[in-house]
Amino acid sequence: KIITKMMKEDADVGICRYDQRNENSDVLKVEKPFGFKNLSQDDVIKYYLLDKFICAVWTSVYKLSIAKSVSFETEIKIGEDRLYQLQILLKAKKTSFINEILYHYIINSLSSTHLRASPKNVVGHIDIPNYLHDSEKNILITKFEKEFDFFKLWSICLAVNMVSQWYKCNKKEKKYIKNFFRTLLNRDIIDNIIKNKFIAKQIKLEFFVLKLFGTNFHLFVFPFYKGLRRVLRFFSKEKF
């Protein structure tokens, strides 16, 4: 279906929706329908940078010429697919969207993603802009400055979220995790996250509390945030 639509629309990339399942194939999450049609490629890039849809390599099909023009960055252990997808979209002239669930994401505790997941590796999300080519950076800064600023801040939010989740269950990494907060999250970065108009209110609140009460309090109340997010996600259209 994806390839058929790509051929019909002469697209370089095709993207479908997905659901998330456990190892027993029970459905845990279903991606919402795409709320847009016939986007220009510039708008596709904007929506991707703003995290408006899941644009993963496993929900995408690429023309061979486009896929071969970009390589996976092996130095990034977690988040390398976000970099690859961004570089692909910057090269593509047209992206097709298929508003159907055509991919089932199975959560597997023995997958390579889970096995290499660690507080040290998730910093890869933050490093993504450093691996972009100068020409790609110029396009993003020139045409998508606000969206690219959000993308960089959102990458920090993703890393903070993942690192915070590990704090309770990974005692060996506690020292590294606290150092992560001390070295990465200065007040300027936190203020930029709080002030950014594209960041969801719940995330802004979490970083405001982090700024006010510090790392230890943030890590202590983080399990409460996860529950609050689920409730707010249920009643809100905002993406967390």
Side-chain angles (χ1 to χ4, degrees):
K1 287 186 177 182
I2 299 176
I3 294 173
T4 300
K5 188 165 186 182
M6 287 173 64
M7 293 176 65
K8 183 178 179 181
E9 297 181 353
D10 192 24
D12 299 309
V13 181
I15 299 170
C16 69
R17 290 165 52 221
Y18 79 103
D19 62 25
Q20 190 179 84
R21 305 182 178 212
N22 60 23
E23 294 179 28
N24 295 321
S25 291
D26 301 317
V27 177
L28 305 175
K29 176 184 176 182
V30 177
E31 185 182 7
K32 293 180 181 179
F34 299 131
F36 44 79
K37 292 181 180 179
N38 302 320
L39 292 179
S40 68
Q41 192 59 24
D42 279 359
D43 284 337
V44 171
I45 294 168
K46 284 182 181 179
Y47 276 44
Y48 177 72
L49 291 170
L50 293 174
D51 204 43
K52 293 291 185 182
F53 60 91
I54 300 296
C55 185
V57 293
W58 33 267
T59 59
S60 303
V61 174
Y62 312 107
K63 271 188 178 178
L64 185 60
S65 57
I66 289 284
K68 281 186 172 182
S69 67
V70 180
S71 300
F72 264 83
E73 181 51 65
T74 56
E75 289 186 18
I76 300 179
K77 303 303 180 184
I78 300 289
E80 75 284 4
D81 53 341
R82 294 179 70 228
L83 170 63
Y84 181 84
Q85 195 76 330
L86 177 56
Q87 292 175 307
I88 286 284
L89 294 178
L90 286 169
K91 287 180 177 291
K93 294 180 180 178
K94 171 71 177 176
T95 298
S96 294
F97 290 89
I98 293 81
N99 221 342
E100 296 181 45
I101 304 291
L102 298 179
Y103 189 90
H104 305 301
Y105 185 97
I106 309 296
I107 297 177
N108 180 1
S109 58
L110 297 179
S111 70
S112 60
T113 299
H114 280 81
L115 291 176
R116 70 174 182 264
S118 73
K120 293 179 181 178
N121 286 343
V122 298
V123 179
H125 280 295
I126 303 168
D127 288 338
I128 288 173
N130 299 330
Y131 288 92
L132 291 165
H133 302 303
D134 288 340
S135 58
E136 294 166 336
K137 288 180 184 177
N138 288 336
I139 293 172
L140 291 167
I141 292 170
T142 304
K143 298 180 69 174
F144 311 103
E145 183 179 8
K146 292 180 180 178
E147 292 83 6
F148 188 43
D149 284 344
F150 167 84
F151 180 84
K152 289 182 284 188
L153 291 174
W154 186 243
S155 296
I156 293 172
C157 292
L158 288 174
V160 168
N161 178 69
M162 296 175 79
V163 167
S164 299
Q165 288 186 60
W166 274 309
Y167 183 71
K168 292 273 186 185
C169 60
N170 198 332
K171 294 181 180 180
K172 293 181 181 178
E173 300 283 4
K174 282 191 175 183
K175 186 176 180 180
Y176 174 83
I177 290 171
K178 288 192 175 182
N179 188 57
F180 166 87
F181 279 93
R182 280 195 300 270
T183 56
L184 173 72
L185 290 178
N186 59 54
R187 284 185 172 267
D188 288 340
I189 291 176
I190 294 176
D191 284 340
N192 287 336
I193 290 172
I194 293 170
K195 292 176 183 176
N196 190 281
K197 67 178 182 178
F198 297 117
I199 300 284
K201 293 175 183 176
Q202 167 68 18
I203 303 299
K204 289 183 178 183
L205 176 61
E206 292 176 20
F207 277 88
F208 179 76
V209 171
L210 173 60
K211 177 184 176 181
L212 206 60
F213 298 105
T215 300
N216 288 337
F217 185 80
H218 164 82
L219 293 170
F220 176 75
V221 299
F222 185 79
F224 165 76
Y225 289 152
K226 290 180 66 179
L228 182 60
R229 282 185 208 162
R230 292 191 191 98
V231 173
L232 291 176
R233 190 184 296 120
F234 181 79
F235 291 103
S236 172
K237 293 181 179 179
E238 286 192 86
K239 187 178 178 106
F240 300 104

